[in-house]
Amino acid sequence: MPLHVPPAPSPALRTVLTALGSPTAVREARTPSLRMAQGPVTPELPLPVHVLDRIAPAGAATTRLTGWRFLIRCGDRSVAAAETMLTPDGWAFSHFFEGPYIASTERALRHAENMSQSYQPRLLSVPELYMLTLWLHGDCTADGATGHPAATDLLVPLAPAPPGIAAHRPHRVAELLPVLTHRLTPAPLLSSPA
């Protein structure tokens, strides 16, 4: 079934288009593949980026929107990504980047397209574990900028995933959050002998 990609705020898209049209922004980006791109580049597949702030004892996750990420395509492949962020003055371009998460995101999206259920794709970052997941939200009509992972939503860890968590394997939120909770909980300190 098709994915229902939520529309990005038009000011966020405009900031990416402006940055792509700026020779200075592209030249100063730490993305050799973007600087060396032959032909036109276009921002595609806008995905809201949410950060996992905490996991409640009951297993509910608290998230917040931090920006929108656009894959930058040149020809038939993505060469980089552009990130936007919300500021007090509205949406602003943040930076261009490249690396393994771009190909990993594309791979996870292709696999999600072949699933029997429709989903709304989002990105969910777990900074404490240096982990990024494709969050497949079950409510395709939801506002991509709001909401929290439902127990039946899927999280697909992107490569490179933390040790012990398989990349590109879909997990129900209800299954993966307990694993993340265990990893995020600090080990108890040993008491010193009296």
Side-chain angles (χ1 to χ4, degrees), residues 39-95:
V41 291
T42 56
E44 296 182 356
L45 287 169
L47 296 173
V49 180
H50 295 260
V51 170
L52 182 66
D53 282 329
R54 65 183 170 80
I55 303 171
T62 301
T63 63
R64 62 185 161 82
L65 178 73
T66 59
W68 284 79
R69 181 172 296 173
F70 298 79
L71 294 180
I72 306 299
R73 288 189 81 69
C74 180
D76 62 349
R77 67 184 192 96
S78 293
V79 295
E83 190 100 5
T84 63
M85 62 183 180
L86 190 57
T87 69
D89 295 326
W91 288 99
F93 171 75
S94 176
H95 61 282

Side-chain angles (χ1 to χ4, degrees), residues 99-102 104-105 129-133 157-163 165-168:
Y101 284 132
I102 295 168
S104 188
T105 300
L129 297 177
Y130 301 101
M131 180 179 181
L132 184 64
T133 69
L158 301 179
I165 297 177
H168 297 288

Side-chain angles (χ1 to χ4, degrees), residues 88-193:
D89 295 326
W91 288 99
F93 171 75
S94 176
H95 61 282
F96 292 116
F97 65 94
E98 60 184 50
Y101 284 132
I102 295 168
S104 188
T105 300
E106 285 187 306
R107 177 180 170 187
L109 287 167
R110 278 193 308 273
H111 287 183
E113 281 279 345
N114 295 322
M115 293 181 171
S116 57
Q117 181 179 341
S118 292
Y119 290 101
Q120 182 188 83
R122 304 170 175 198
L123 293 172
L124 181 64
S125 173
V126 186
E128 291 86 355
L129 297 177
Y130 301 101
M131 180 179 181
L132 184 64
T133 69
L134 178 64
W135 168 13
L136 297 172
H137 191 52
D139 182 359
C140 296
T141 62
D143 179 355
T146 62
H148 303 289
T152 56
D153 287 353
L154 296 178
L155 296 177
V156 182
L158 301 179
I165 297 177
H168 297 288
R169 183 173 165 254
H171 301 270
R172 294 243 177 255
V173 167
E175 297 165 359
L176 188 58
L177 282 187
V179 173
L180 299 181
T181 302
H182 177 69
R183 291 195 173 202
L184 292 172
T185 304
L189 296 173
L190 298 175
S191 59
S192 57

